[in-house]
Amino acid sequence: MLRNFTRQLSVSAKRLGNGTGTADVKNGKGTAIVFMNMGGPSTVPETRDFLFRLFSDNDLIPLGPFQNILAKFITWRRTPMIEKYYARIGGGSPIRKWSEFQAKKACERLDEISPNTAPHKPYVAFRYAHPLTEETLKQLLDDGITRAVAFSQYPQFSYSTTASSINDLYRLSKVHDPNGQIKWSIIDRWPQHPCLINTFANHINDALLKFPEEIRKNVVIQFSAHSLPMDIINRGDSYPAEVSATVYAVMQKLKFSNPYRLTWQSQVGPKPWLGAQTEKTSQRLVKFDSVPGIVIVPIAFTSDHIETLHEIDIELKEAVENPEKVVRCESLNGDPLFHQGLADLVKDHLESGKLYSKQLPLDYNLGSVTAKNVFKHPDEFFGDRSKK
């Protein structure tokens, strides 16, 4: 199935939104759907700039008053190694092509199921890689967009990820759209939406089939999510609870067929990060005679990127004693069930009339401790700013 959808990805190489309905959007009709994520370098030479933007982001990795200096140093130290990682997985991150493909498919279905808000035009806005938020915002304005949904592709909210993208959009909008041409709303979390739960459950079942039937029920399902510094978690960040909610909902869908654990990956630097660590836990599990195998599930990611293709598929398997016992379930990537569910999610959001979730104001109260030039309440940005 993945190969069939990969052949369709060439369509996404063209600039998004050149198809039917573009003229209507430019005339102020229709809705822009903006997929927001951290992104990744599409080519190896883009790695340095990507890392510098990432380590410069105080919302994601707070490094104190010397953030910019430390970001330059860390980038200098890590770039050669990370470039080798991207070269090893094919010369760059696939997250852009998957994001563009998923956005396109979701908008195609939205045109069918939500004619009142059609046409729907897909965009992608990345925090640290091209197309950057600023580039996409300028394109939205050039296209004459007046109604847009910011759709976070972090299913589980964190101030360090989702809010960082929101903050970036807010700051740039003050510069490029001070009069509020674009009326925004946001899908800021969706940790238990059926499109996420059902697709992951299907992919886990597919992965379990790779083990002999007589041992299958004892295979451990190890969910893995990107870790965060404890500095952020200790502010009351909702991320751990929402990731756990996703895990539990998936296991409910699977009728708790197997033992499972949630672990955390991608820690960087000497500061304490949320654990237990995925790699260390896997190393322990494969040694137990009672564990015939492990299915690794990248539960906080909507597509493949370096954390799945290198950190799990290569680094983790090289680190464990019995790599044949480890299987990673397929990411959401080109699954049509997932794309259809994304469209359903956006349709529900548009019909609800809500501009953001009930939790978002509290997220900002607790999370914006060190953030600069951000709103105090979401009402300051979302909705009709021309009337404020």
Side-chain angles (χ1 to χ4, degrees):
M1 179 180 68
L2 179 58
R3 292 177 181 174
N4 292 335
F5 280 94
T6 301
R7 285 197 292 266
Q8 300 178 47
L9 287 173
S10 59
V11 178
S12 298
K14 301 177 181 179
R15 182 177 296 275
L16 292 174
N18 290 334
T20 303
T22 301
D24 287 334
V25 176
K26 286 187 175 182
N27 290 331
K29 299 177 182 179
T31 311
I33 310 299
V34 184
F35 275 38
M36 303 182 72
N37 208 331
M38 69 184 299
S42 296
T43 63
V44 172
E46 296 176 55
T47 304
R48 183 179 297 274
D49 289 342
F50 167 78
L51 290 177
F52 180 69
R53 295 186 191 104
L54 187 149
F55 288 113
S56 298
D57 184 1
N58 183 62
D59 293 333
L60 177 64
I61 304 176
L63 298 175
F66 302 104
Q67 181 94 30
N68 192 60
I69 296 173
L70 290 171
K72 288 181 179 178
F73 175 73
I74 297 171
T75 300
W76 172 74
R77 285 286 303 272
R78 291 184 63 83
T79 294
M81 176 179 63
I82 303 301
E83 285 180 336
K84 291 179 182 177
Y85 292 170
Y86 279 114
R88 200 171 178 187
I89 64 170
S93 172
I95 191 171
R96 177 173 183 172
K97 70 177 182 182
W98 282 124
S99 296
E100 291 179 342
F101 184 68
Q102 291 168 346
K104 176 178 178 292
K105 289 299 181 181
C107 284
E108 287 175 356
R109 176 168 168 79
L110 276 166
D111 285 345
E112 297 175 1
I113 66 175
S114 184
N116 291 337
T117 54
H120 302 88
K121 186 176 181 183
Y123 295 84
V124 170
F126 286 152
R127 185 68 177 88
Y128 313 118
H130 299 291
L132 293 164
T133 306
E134 184 171 25
E135 297 166 352
T136 300
L137 178 60
K138 289 179 179 179
Q139 187 65 55
L140 286 162
L141 293 168
D142 288 346
D143 288 348
I145 299 298
T146 59
R147 173 75 175 94
V149 176
F151 189 0
S152 173
Q153 294 305 293
Y154 308 104
Q156 304 91 4
F157 181 93
S158 173
Y159 193 90
S160 64
T161 53
T162 305
S164 179
S165 289
I166 296 172
N167 292 343
D168 197 35
L169 179 62
Y170 170 69
R171 294 171 187 134
L172 292 167
S173 292
K174 286 172 49 175
V175 175
H176 298 291
D177 188 21
N179 296 322
Q181 169 186 311
I182 303 173
K183 308 303 181 290
W184 289 93
S185 65
I186 185 166
I187 301 171
D188 54 64
R189 72 201 71 211
W190 38 289
Q192 292 190 313
H193 194 274
C195 73
L196 190 69
I197 306 307
N198 295 340
T199 311
F200 266 125
N202 289 345
H203 289 194
I204 292 170
N205 278 327
D206 290 342
L208 287 170
L209 290 175
K210 296 180 181 179
F211 295 93
E213 185 176 359
E214 62 270 18
I215 65 171
R216 196 173 298 154
K217 66 179 181 181
N218 293 321
V219 171
V220 173
I221 301 173
Q222 184 181 347
F223 295 91
S224 182
H226 200 297
S227 185
L228 289 177
M230 289 306 297
D231 290 353
I232 293 171
I233 301 301
N234 289 336
R235 297 174 191 168
D237 199 90
S238 62
Y239 180 70
E242 294 194 7
V243 174
S244 299
T246 304
V247 168
Y248 198 81
V250 171
M251 290 309 302
Q252 280 186 313
K253 183 70 177 179
L254 295 172
K255 298 181 180 179
F256 297 96
S257 59
N258 292 71
Y260 71 98
R261 281 295 182 273
L262 169 60
T263 56
W264 309 87
Q265 66 181 91
S266 308
Q267 295 90 331
V268 178
K271 280 190 171 186
W273 283 57
L274 182 64
Q277 294 184 20
T278 296
E279 184 177 300
K280 290 183 178 180
T281 304
S282 298
Q283 288 175 322
R284 292 179 60 202
L285 286 172
V286 296
K287 294 179 180 179
F288 297 141
D289 292 336
S290 60
V291 177
I294 307 170
V295 171
I296 305 286
V297 185
I299 196 64
F301 305 121
T302 57
S303 66
D304 276 326
H305 52 314
I306 194 169
E307 280 82 2
T308 58
L309 298 176
H310 194 278
E311 192 169 339
I312 294 177
D313 290 353
I314 298 176
E315 291 181 60
L316 186 147
K317 288 193 175 184
E318 290 178 345
V320 300
E321 289 185 3
N322 302 296
E324 70 279 359
K325 295 176 70 173
V326 180
V327 172
R328 178 175 66 86
C329 90
E330 183 183 331
S331 296
L332 306 179
N333 292 344
D335 194 317
L337 177 67
F338 180 59
H339 307 152
Q340 292 168 10
L342 291 175
D344 294 340
L345 198 165
V346 176
K347 178 177 182 290
D348 291 343
H349 168 78
L350 291 168
E351 290 179 347
S352 74
K354 294 179 180 178
L355 302 178
Y356 50 83
S357 76
K358 187 72 172 180
Q359 298 300 318
L360 196 59
L362 180 58
D363 292 317
Y364 269 78
N365 287 338
L366 294 174
S368 57
V369 176
T370 60
K372 298 178 181 179
N373 190 21
V374 300
F375 52 72
K376 294 181 179 179
H377 192 282
D379 282 347
E380 297 174 38
F381 178 58
F382 295 105
D384 191 352
R385 288 178 289 132
S386 65
K387 296 181 180 179
K388 297 186 185 299

